[in-house]
Amino acid sequence: MNPPRLPPAILLMGPTASGKTAVAMALADRFPVELISVDSAQVFRDMDVGTAKPDRDTLACYPHRLIDLISPEESYSAARFCSDALAAMAEITAAGKVPLLVGGTMLYFRALLHGLADLPQADAALRAEIDAEAAAEGWPAMHAKLATFDPSTAARLHPTDSQRLQRALEIYRLTGRPMSELLAESEQQKPPYDLLSIGLLPSERAVLHERIARRFDEMLLAGLDEEVRMLRAKYTLHLNLPSMRCVGYRQTWEAQEGIIPLKELRDRGIFATRQLAKRQITWLTNSFEAENYDCLDPALADRIAARTATFLGA
């Protein structure tokens, strides 16, 4: 007998301005899905304009879980996301619906899919000790040492890859356990779902850049400057908080403080958003086994709906 199928869940991933929300809403119109936001900026309350958070009318029609969770004064981690997302997925599945996780925070997607390895923090003194050994013996000799107790990790590292060799040796000396063993335990934390992973990638990067510029202009017209002033008046904030490090918010704060010229806010905001999109595309291309679709395809929603229908047996 075949084992029973795990409950289905859908991951919809893509860079900023790739049209993820529109596709998610189109799927919600056709299938029994409930949306879970995977966005490290939209977890903050009162940060609406600069995060491109769906407006109230949209959220009323298409509720998103994991939006507006915390104050901009607080921090939100990948570990907390995993806990919150798995709880939401369980509730949605219990209600007979399908979780649809949509967003662009690739670290959160990766943590959910591969778990969070319980690796120790860096130890400066121990690293200095390892570096001293390597200076005396050479990194190939350190690689040979690693191979005696963690052959799996040694097999995937080059004998002169000093940074990764140092980390693997450090972990073993701190925990008494090979890094490969700790990572294997992390892999066993994968969510108990039959997952359809969909990636949205642009066939023409220049067109995505045009979308990014247009959307940032819309944010400025919608009152991004006023929103940042409101946040600074309402909360106790500083530039090193995760909320204020978000793209758009940092540049707006810096313009308000005169750190950058006001006339440069638009260009700097657009450039920072492009850099974010580049990182998201790199993550999506290199770190996930997703079925990728051209986010510029006019028939995008229909193509993904057809794939979803096959996946769900609808």
Side-chain angles (χ1 to χ4, degrees):
M1 291 181 62
N2 293 326
R5 182 190 178 192
L6 292 170
I10 302 168
L11 309 182
L12 181 60
M13 305 175 279
T16 185
S18 59
K20 299 181 295 294
T21 299
V23 171
M25 292 190 298
L27 294 180
D29 286 336
R30 306 186 199 192
F31 304 101
V33 300
E34 284 196 26
L35 309 185
I36 299 174
S37 171
V38 187
D39 191 302
S40 61
Q42 293 184 0
V43 298
F44 296 112
R45 292 189 292 272
D46 291 324
M47 291 175 57
D48 303 329
V49 176
T51 64
K53 194 178 292 176
D55 60 30
R56 290 183 180 180
D57 290 342
T58 301
L59 291 174
C61 295
Y62 304 94
H64 288 53
R65 297 184 186 228
L66 307 193
I67 280 181
D68 294 333
L69 298 181
I70 61 174
S71 155
E73 299 166 323
E74 300 176 84
S75 296
Y76 193 77
S77 67
R80 180 171 171 187
F81 166 77
C82 288
S83 176
D84 290 346
L86 288 169
M89 293 170 76
E91 290 178 4
I92 292 168
T93 298
K97 295 190 175 183
V98 178
L100 170 56
L101 291 86
V102 54
T105 301
M106 301 302 168
L107 173 63
Y108 288 2
F109 277 119
R110 181 165 177 78
L112 183 69
L113 288 172
H114 299 287
L116 290 164
D118 187 18
L119 302 179
Q121 294 292 316
D123 184 306
L126 180 54
R127 288 191 168 191
E129 178 183 311
I130 294 170
D131 284 341
E133 285 183 42
E137 303 176 28
W139 282 109
M142 303 302 283
H143 182 269
K145 288 184 180 181
L146 178 65
T148 63
F149 55 80
D150 192 353
S152 177
T153 299
R156 65 181 180 81
L157 297 183
H158 192 275
T160 59
D161 189 345
S162 58
Q163 182 178 353
R164 290 179 174 82
L165 287 170
Q166 179 200 60
R167 181 58 172 155
L169 291 162
E170 176 190 37
I171 287 170
Y172 182 75
R173 294 184 187 184
L174 286 171
T175 67
R177 300 178 66 194
M179 184 168 73
S180 57
E181 186 177 296
L182 295 173
L183 292 175
E185 289 179 357
S186 171
E187 287 288 317
Q188 294 170 10
Q189 301 171 25
K190 289 183 179 180
Y193 289 88
D194 182 12
L195 296 169
L196 171 63
S197 296
I198 293 174
L200 305 186
L201 290 171
S203 55
E204 296 182 57
R205 195 78 63 97
V207 178
L208 182 68
H209 289 174
E210 290 172 6
R211 286 188 181 183
I212 287 170
R214 186 164 57 249
R215 190 165 76 168
F216 196 78
D217 285 337
E218 291 169 354
M219 289 177 179
L220 291 174
L221 289 172
L224 177 59
D225 181 74
E226 292 84 351
E227 181 171 86
V228 174
R229 292 185 188 278
M230 175 275 294
L231 292 166
R232 296 179 68 178
K234 183 173 181 178
Y235 300 100
T236 303
L237 302 175
H238 55 80
L239 263 181
N240 289 325
L241 283 170
S243 60
M244 293 300 104
R245 291 203 303 266
C246 290
V247 168
Y249 289 90
R250 171 175 287 278
Q251 291 76 27
T252 303
W253 181 308
E254 290 176 341
Q256 290 175 356
E257 287 293 299
I259 299 171
I260 64 172
L262 181 59
K263 65 181 181 180
E264 293 185 10
L265 169 58
R266 176 183 182 272
D267 287 345
R268 288 187 181 233
I270 291 171
F271 177 77
T273 309
R274 286 182 178 180
Q275 292 299 105
L276 170 63
K278 182 180 179 180
R279 292 193 298 272
Q280 291 169 317
I281 290 169
T282 299
W283 269 88
L284 184 51
T285 303
N286 297 336
S287 300
F288 297 95
E289 295 179 1
E291 299 179 23
N292 293 325
Y293 292 78
D294 178 10
C295 68
L296 308 179
D297 183 353
L300 175 66
D302 289 337
R303 295 186 193 283
I304 294 177
R307 177 66 182 95
T308 300
T310 301
F311 174 67
L312 297 178

